[in-house]
Amino acid sequence: MIKTDYFTLENGLKIVMCQDNARKSACFEILTHFGGDTEGFIINNKKHIITKGLAHLMEHALIDKGPYGNALEYFQSRYASFNGYTTGIRTGFYVNDILDIEKSMVALMQTVNKIHFTSDDLENIKKPVLEEIRRAHDNRFRNVREANNECFYHYEKPVDNLGTVEEVESITFDEIKLCHDVFYQPHNQIICISGKFDMEKVKDIILNTYKELDIKTLEYTLITHDEPATVAKKGKVIIDSENEEYTNIRYKIKDAPFTPYELVKLSFYLEFFINHNFKDGTDIYNYMVDNKYMVYSIDCSCSFNENLASISIGAFTSHVDEFISRVQDIITKKPINEEEFKIWKNNVIISIILREEHPGKMLSPFLDNILTFHYEHSDTVEDINSLNIEELKEYLNRIDFSEYCIISRLKEEI
């Protein structure tokens, strides 16, 4: 039987547990609320703007030069899998261990929470990061993403967490150390553990390790902006003779009319609504393909972040008006098929039942509910059973779809 728990220690460290002692391994992860979108902070009335790419560079530096040498090599020598990643809003490090998760936990906490690299080390660590940046600039979708963020956001939003070559080259050891001192504090972190482990023993290990680390408290104020509910620009046309023609419409939605639990339900409803109306075999897909306006599937996604929801629908097509007008018609009319809703609902229930067989698969949506929706519970079969057509329609009618931007990448001007 899987047990879940979520609590906060006295030092502010949040812990999410998902225990299943029928498993043979356990996964331990440390998440820090510091990512590529973190703009800066204020200490002692002094404003510090973070150089783009620093969070990602720090991830590499902590892994490359830790208390046990290179962390990838250390965990590999113990037959444990390990890695790190950086998103716009957080940095994560995780280890999966089948032999001794308790030892791996201590090693990971020591690796992440103390700097062991020097200024000279940092310059060498930059080299593979700079190569990663150069490769990322060759991405065929980069100009679309840049235009999308330019139109969607009022405040600057990087298309990735890497920074530019010039920005990363300019990052100093003192700057990266200060950011580590500020953000890698217990109250700014979440620890997640899933699989086979002893809950009480793990809690004691975490408490004792953080006590030994003796991380100093540093008071600071995060620099943030309240992103407006409007888009910054209504659209942009990119002339690009080398890459495929592409059209995208992205809706900007404020989540204020919804409670945390309603937002969780809304995420399920929007998943159904988008897939029901825009995936292969739908009316708009058949129309675009039959008329030879496109040959690939329609891209569609929904994401939630910082009181904003974003719905993005795109296609490899130069027939901008035909595609956008049909997307807008669907958004306005909000067509729903009751039989398809029942089938989708049953499939979601099955996925949740199957999820309960795997603690790692349970932990991810549980953590997502906590971090994204501030809802401190896992999704249950009862939650999905409560979803219904009437509520779906009511939720969709609460959403203001009037704010959107349209990005078109064309071979030449129309």
Side-chain angles (χ1 to χ4, degrees), residues 111-326:
T111 296
V112 168
N113 289 304
K114 290 291 183 181
I115 284 182
H116 296 88
F117 56 88
T118 66
S119 180
D120 289 340
D121 291 331
L122 185 62
E123 293 310 307
N124 287 323
I125 292 165
K126 286 180 181 180
K127 292 175 183 176
V129 174
L130 295 174
E131 289 307 308
E132 188 177 352
I133 293 169
R134 293 185 180 101
R135 288 195 302 271
H137 276 267
D138 290 336
N139 187 293
R140 64 190 179 121
F141 265 103
R142 189 172 185 88
N143 58 1
V144 173
R145 290 170 183 158
E146 288 174 341
N148 212 312
N149 282 359
E150 176 189 335
C151 295
F152 194 79
Y153 295 102
H154 287 260
Y155 297 98
E156 184 182 0
K157 177 88 167 176
V159 295
D160 55 38
N161 309 301
L162 304 176
T164 64
V165 167
E166 294 74 22
E167 286 167 335
V168 170
E169 285 180 335
S170 74
I171 295 171
T172 65
F173 176 82
D174 289 340
E175 182 184 6
I176 209 167
K177 184 180 184 306
L178 178 59
C179 286
H180 190 277
D181 291 344
V182 168
F183 294 108
Y184 282 72
Q185 300 187 70
H187 68 82
N188 198 45
Q189 293 180 320
I190 293 180
I191 280 181
C192 311
I193 182 165
S194 62
K196 184 178 183 178
F197 62 92
D198 183 309
M199 280 189 165
E200 289 305 315
K201 195 172 182 182
V202 160
K203 182 177 177 180
D204 287 342
I205 291 170
I206 294 170
L207 277 167
N208 292 333
T209 305
Y210 270 83
K211 187 175 180 181
E212 290 169 8
L213 287 167
D214 191 27
I215 300 168
K216 304 302 180 187
T217 301
L218 189 60
E219 300 293 334
Y220 67 94
T221 302
L222 194 64
I223 297 173
T224 60
H225 301 287
D226 186 16
E227 178 67 31
T230 58
V231 293
K233 301 176 183 177
K234 295 302 288 184
K236 185 172 184 177
V237 176
I238 305 163
I239 303 303
D240 181 348
S241 60
E242 296 181 359
N243 290 301
E244 304 99 319
E245 294 178 304
Y246 185 81
T247 297
N248 171 272
I249 181 167
R250 189 177 181 190
Y251 295 90
K252 190 175 190 178
I253 301 163
K254 274 284 190 179
D255 64 17
F258 297 93
T259 67
Y261 181 51
E262 286 177 334
L263 282 173
V264 173
K265 290 196 288 184
L266 178 64
S267 69
F268 282 103
Y269 284 138
L270 286 177
E271 175 196 325
F272 165 74
F273 177 71
I274 292 170
N275 283 287
H276 169 61
N277 285 293
F278 295 105
K279 287 297 186 181
D280 293 2
T282 57
D283 289 345
I284 185 173
Y285 171 85
N286 291 334
Y287 173 83
M288 295 293 290
V289 171
D290 291 346
N291 286 281
K292 297 182 173 54
Y293 293 154
M294 71 176 195
V295 294
Y296 300 115
S297 299
I298 295 172
D299 302 323
C300 50
S301 64
C302 177
S303 61
F304 291 80
N305 185 26
E306 298 176 357
N307 300 319
L308 282 177
S310 166
I311 296 175
S312 179
I313 302 162
F316 285 96
T317 181
S318 61
H319 296 268
V320 179
D321 292 340
E322 287 85 351
F323 179 66
I324 295 299
S325 66
R326 278 161 178 77

Side-chain angles (χ1 to χ4, degrees), residues 27-44:
C27 184
F28 182 80
E29 182 171 8
I30 302 174
L31 295 167
T32 300
H33 296 297
F34 174 49
D37 295 344
T38 309
E39 181 179 337
F41 52 91
I42 299 169
I43 297 179
N44 298 325

